[in-house]
Amino acid sequence: LPPHNPDLLDFLRRYVRLTHCDLFFADKAIFVEGQVERLLLPMMIEEQAKVAGCETLGSQYVSISEVGGGHAHKFKPIIDFLGIPSLIITDLDSVDDGGKKCPVATGKSTSNACLRKWIPEKETVEELQACDNAAKTQGCIRVAYQVTQDGHCGRSFEEAFIYANITWLTDNHAKLSTTKAAVKKAIDAGLTAQAWELSGKLGKVDFALDLMGAPGWEIPLYIQQGLQWLAEHPAK
């Protein structure tokens, strides 16, 4: 680990100690931005392992760490040291010219430090949307952020999930416990058009727990792509 940066080294030591980090024993690692992804990823991994070419995800130990959107790049020294295949799942975080969050369709740049400072080291929404798999990969590390799916691109996990599950949410919103009223209201007003606004109203943990109790939904495309890469990348 980098002795030339004592502040970063202290941060990493505290993180490992306080979170009982299992990174040092894992075959592969996933770093996520928030609680929703952390809670749902075990289900996503289980489902993706059923896809041809992804079977290894079911037999390897994959460590999942919640690091937030502004801190993922700080874990580069640990990932480089361990040398294990690592997937970073983060948000596009589009903002307008004034730095205010906005839909991807009207966004100019990203506020995400990982995307700006590390991988793929791009700042504009146009550049990020143009990145291919190679641009999102650096050695044994790949970043996954929202991509266009069915003609729409979300800014956050929640918005991307809605676009990927318009039909499922329409047919199954009654199965949601805490968030069904908000989802039903958006459905009545046109779910696709309301996805951006709805994503900001959903309680993150409530939404994740609702989805855990109602399986059958589709994994957003950007996470599918990231898990596919992780499955295909040989463990150390």
Side-chain angles (χ1 to χ4, degrees), residues 114-199:
C114 175
L115 302 182
R116 290 188 292 109
K117 298 180 180 180
W118 186 11
I119 309 171
E121 205 169 359
K122 305 291 184 184
E123 292 202 14
T124 71
V125 169
E126 184 178 5
E127 289 175 324
L128 289 167
Q129 290 186 308
C131 285
D132 57 15
N133 286 330
K136 297 177 183 179
T137 306
Q138 186 180 103
C140 65
I141 308 168
R142 189 193 190 280
V143 69
Y145 52 86
Q146 288 79 17
V147 297
T148 300
Q149 183 168 8
D150 296 328
H152 301 279
C153 183
R155 181 185 191 273
S156 64
F157 169 82
E158 291 82 4
E159 188 181 1
F161 181 93
I162 294 168
Y163 290 136
N165 289 278
I166 296 294
T167 300
W168 185 89
L169 286 168
T170 301
D171 294 342
N172 296 279
H173 64 274
K175 297 179 182 179
L176 306 178
S177 176
T178 307
T179 58
K180 62 182 175 183
V183 174
K184 177 61 165 61
K185 184 177 180 180
I187 290 171
D188 291 342
L191 188 52
T192 301
Q194 293 293 311
W196 155 255
E197 185 175 350
L198 175 62
S199 65

Side-chain angles (χ1 to χ4, degrees), residues 53-64:
C54 294
E55 296 88 352
T56 57
L57 290 176
S59 60
Q60 295 173 330
Y61 182 71
V62 181
S63 170
I64 301 173

Side-chain angles (χ1 to χ4, degrees), residues 12-71:
L12 293 173
R13 282 172 173 163
R14 285 194 298 273
Y15 182 89
V16 170
R17 184 176 68 252
L18 294 174
T19 59
H20 307 287
C21 195
D22 56 355
L23 275 171
F24 298 98
F25 310 101
D27 296 310
K28 298 177 179 180
I30 301 177
F31 298 86
V32 299
E33 179 150 336
Q35 293 175 307
V36 176
E37 296 94 324
R38 178 176 56 81
L39 289 169
L40 294 178
L41 257 173
M43 288 181 68
M44 296 184 193
I45 291 172
E46 183 178 349
E47 285 303 309
Q48 194 68 23
K50 300 175 183 177
V51 176
C54 294
E55 296 88 352
T56 57
L57 290 176
S59 60
Q60 295 173 330
Y61 182 71
V62 181
S63 170
I64 301 173
S65 300
E66 181 183 340
V67 297
H71 294 280

